[in-house]
Amino acid sequence: MSPSKSRTDALMAGEELSSVAQRERRKRIVDATIALASKGGFDAVQMRAVADRADVALGTLYRYFPSKVHLLVSSLAVELERAQEKMDRTTVPGDSPYERVLFVLGRITRGLQRNPHLTEAMTRAFTFADASAGAEVDRVAWLMESMFTRAMSDEDPTDEQKAIARVIGDVWLSNLVAWVTRRATATDVANRLELTVRLLLK
Amino acid sequence: MSPSKSRTDALMAGEELSSVAQRERRKRIVDATIALASKGGFDAVQMRAVADRADVALGTLYRYFPSKVHLLVSSLAVELERAQEKMDRTTVPGDSPYERVLFVLGRITRGLQRNPHLTEAMTRAFTFADASAGAEVDRVAWLMESMFTRAMSDEDPTDEQKAIARVIGDVWLSNLVAWVTRRATATDVANRLELTVRLLLK
DNA sequence: GAAGTTTATAGAACGTGTTCTATTTCCGGC
DNA sequence: GCCGGAAATAGAACACGTTCTATAAACTTC
């Protein structure tokens, strides 16, 4: 049982899946997760339901993703990558970092708000993640940070820019959570983000 | 069953508990929660274990706190109140908001880091909370915010000060979570907090 | 202080995340 | 094509949060 560990880790990371069949299985699982999450949020992502929908045995699901949190955080990474790619194909308007960051922030936020259940599922998983999902969480955190540093400038970001991006990411996530738990309206979120970016970049 | 609803809500809020016995039960429950959390973190706070330790039936526990998350977030509020009281008895040194906020932040952070398991349990519950625990979460958010606005000045805080306090709170929580999940060291946390406060208040 | 109501108790029961077991299928090397 | 080990499958089993049931104890009100 132990010698298979490294192979299993590769499955989790989603890279270098030995066979086509495995890559397809993994994709089916992530797709099923996103579909279920979109329909009913965190609670609707039940491991048996994901396995069923992905046409995979429960044990196989757990071989690919060792927990529900890993599964959802990995799906969040997939979604963020998609958003980043879309953003890369867009020319971000605005001639100051302030304006450009605000544009990116507004766009992604509205994108997520278009799918409240999915957002709820993914953000709750992200913030609930424990140490065992550290790698996946770090990956998402890095995606978020680089999303904002890229908006600030085309050059390599300075340390200060990285710090600012991180703060924005923290505030962004916290407001997203407040929104999915209905403690803040979309307007509240927009206002607070604007205010935060202003404090940091103006 | 329905007519008792309003009474139950009062129990949750922890105010106006009709009898001494009830206030004592509630206290025993919170104490048991904190003790178990201190020993083994979120996972060790098992509802049956809390009930046992508080000498209360499982059903009674649920009458006082409708879920594990409510229980832990309420306990977090209790802890923050304690910290605030302690802070009130201290003269916060420093002659700029920057210095004073940093002092308060450092103190509370080190305080929490002295009890990693408890901190893990409470922060994870806080960030995992769903809409049903909105009131409890808001209370904690408010405690955090006012902790920082108080450090900034003795006067009533301006809107900008409130905004800054909120941002600091978001960053603080996020770093605390990174620390409990072992994605950041205590030094990382201290550095990032310092940097954030500098960006916002200097 | 008795009747009626609310609250507490013990413990069974249920749902869902996770683990385990036994069996079958797939795949790389001969 | 065949063998041996890894991966997948079906399904049972287990753990813990939560809910439910039946009974007893504690209160209110007269």
Side-chain angles (χ1 to χ4, degrees), chain A residues 7-70:
Chain A
R7 172 56 51 85
T8 299
D9 289 349
L11 290 183
M12 277 173 55
E15 287 157 19
E16 313 201 13
L17 284 197
S18 11
S19 79
V20 176
Q22 286 179 323
R23 257 187 310 268
E24 282 172 351
R25 249 182 229 108
R26 190 175 202 279
K27 177 162 189 320
R28 286 207 308 277
I29 291 172
V30 171
D31 288 349
T33 302
I34 291 176
L36 288 168
S38 299
K39 188 167 288 191
F42 188 87
D43 291 340
V45 180
Q46 301 188 355
M47 300 306 267
R48 290 169 180 87
V50 172
D52 272 10
R53 182 159 191 147
D55 243 306
V56 137
L58 191 55
T60 307
L61 173 52
Y62 273 95
R63 168 183 281 277
Y64 282 69
F65 299 94
S67 80
K68 175 168 172 171
V69 164
H70 285 80

Side-chain angles (χ1 to χ4, degrees), chain A residues 132-187:
Chain A
S132 79
E136 286 78 3
V137 169
D138 275 341
R139 167 150 187 73
V140 168
W142 182 87
L143 282 167
M144 277 175 42
E145 190 181 313
S146 73
M147 198 159 243
F148 300 133
T149 54
R150 288 218 227 173
M152 283 188 239
S153 88
D154 296 329
E155 324 280 319
D156 281 354
T158 64
D159 283 354
E160 166 152 322
Q161 286 176 324
K162 283 193 209 165
I164 292 176
R166 198 198 300 276
V167 172
I168 292 174
D170 290 344
V171 172
W172 182 55
L173 190 71
S174 143
N175 275 281
L176 229 34
V177 169
W179 179 76
V180 301
T181 56
R182 285 191 266 284
R183 293 181 297 110
T185 66
T187 314

Side-chain angles (χ1 to χ4, degrees), chain B residues 7 22 25 48 56-57 60 63-64:
Chain B
R7 173 55 53 87
Q22 285 179 324
R25 251 183 230 110
R48 290 171 178 87
V56 136
T60 306
R63 167 182 282 276
Y64 281 69

